[in-house]
Amino acid sequence: MKKLVVLTGAGISAESGIKTFRDVDGLWEGHNVMDVASPEGWHRNKELVLDFYNQRRTAALNAKPNAAHYGLAYLEQFYEVTIITQNVDDLHERAGSSSVVHLHGSLFEKRSEQNEHNIEPIFEDMKVGALASDGALYRPNIVWFGEEVPEMNTAIKLVQKAEILIIVGTSMQVYPAASLVQFVSPSVKIFFIDPKPAVNSTERIKVYAEKATTGIAKAIEFIKNIK
């Protein structure tokens, strides 16, 4: 089966009611992003940070996958599909996608603040002072501003092997995730789905200037017939 790689961002989950990561005014759900999404913010006010992610986790648990999530899972009937997502929710998995790489971490994982590899699942609220097995405090397993992206090398290798690429729900303006398109083979067909696409259709790039749910539906009809 051909290898199909999908890059997804906040736009695909927005249709499930999950708000995008950052508004144009630099706020995330009313908070300055640096207060809730940076190591400095964590050290200043752990209770605020944990409360913030507890709320985000609850919102994600209450959300449901939409047609775009289900459509990508459906493509596994025709291709070897891997999803590389900037999202921290689990809607791809709940829709049935079997191979998902979370570039920016997950709301449903906690880790030692001293060891990024000491990770445990979490579905309830996190409490201030909870300790990991190494004796360090647990923190959300979210990649914050100023931190390395642990899964970046994995994502690069997947994109390099891609035979078809879908980009949906992301403007591809946030780095390092945006740099992934640089590693795609020149022969790979790219499908770009965004209400306000930053690129134009070419012989190689097919653009669907619409939201994720309708764009994915149209792209699937085209993609599933590629031999």
Side-chain angles (χ1 to χ4, degrees), residues 177-199:
S179 66
L180 287 172
V181 293
Q182 300 172 14
F183 298 94
V184 182
S185 169
S187 62
V188 168
K189 183 78 173 178
I190 298 174
F191 297 84
F192 191 94
I193 302 164
D194 192 85
K196 298 179 180 179
V199 298

Side-chain angles (χ1 to χ4, degrees), residues 39-55:
E40 294 79 15
W42 167 249
H43 292 304
R44 277 196 304 269
N45 192 335
K46 294 178 174 61
E47 186 173 3
L48 171 68
V49 173
L50 291 185
D51 181 64
F52 177 81
Y53 288 100
N54 288 340
Q55 291 184 47

Side-chain angles (χ1 to χ4, degrees), residues 63-108:
K64 295 180 180 180
N66 60 54
H69 296 105
Y70 286 115
L72 294 177
Y74 167 75
L75 280 172
E76 292 191 14
Q77 296 182 39
F78 309 95
Y79 299 98
E80 181 182 328
V81 180
T82 300
I83 295 173
I84 301 170
T85 186
Q86 298 174 64
N87 299 337
V88 294
D89 59 63
D90 63 346
L91 296 182
H92 284 302
E93 289 90 340
R94 284 161 56 194
S97 289
S98 60
S99 180
V100 184
V101 175
H102 286 269
L103 278 182
H104 296 158
S106 170
L107 288 168
F108 302 101

Side-chain angles (χ1 to χ4, degrees), residues 148-211:
E148 296 292 324
V149 180
E151 294 287 359
M152 194 64 189
N153 286 335
T154 298
I156 289 171
K157 291 175 182 177
L158 289 166
V159 169
Q160 287 175 328
K161 296 177 181 178
E163 295 172 274
I164 301 171
L165 180 70
I166 300 175
I167 301 172
V168 56
T170 173
S171 62
M172 296 305 289
Q173 302 296 313
V174 178
Y175 286 83
S179 66
L180 287 172
V181 293
Q182 300 172 14
F183 298 94
V184 182
S185 169
S187 62
V188 168
K189 183 78 173 178
I190 298 174
F191 297 84
F192 191 94
I193 302 164
D194 192 85
K196 298 179 180 179
V199 298
N200 296 316
S201 287
T202 65
E203 186 174 341
R204 181 190 182 198
I205 303 174
K206 189 169 182 61
V207 175
Y208 296 90
E210 47 196 294
K211 61 185 181 180

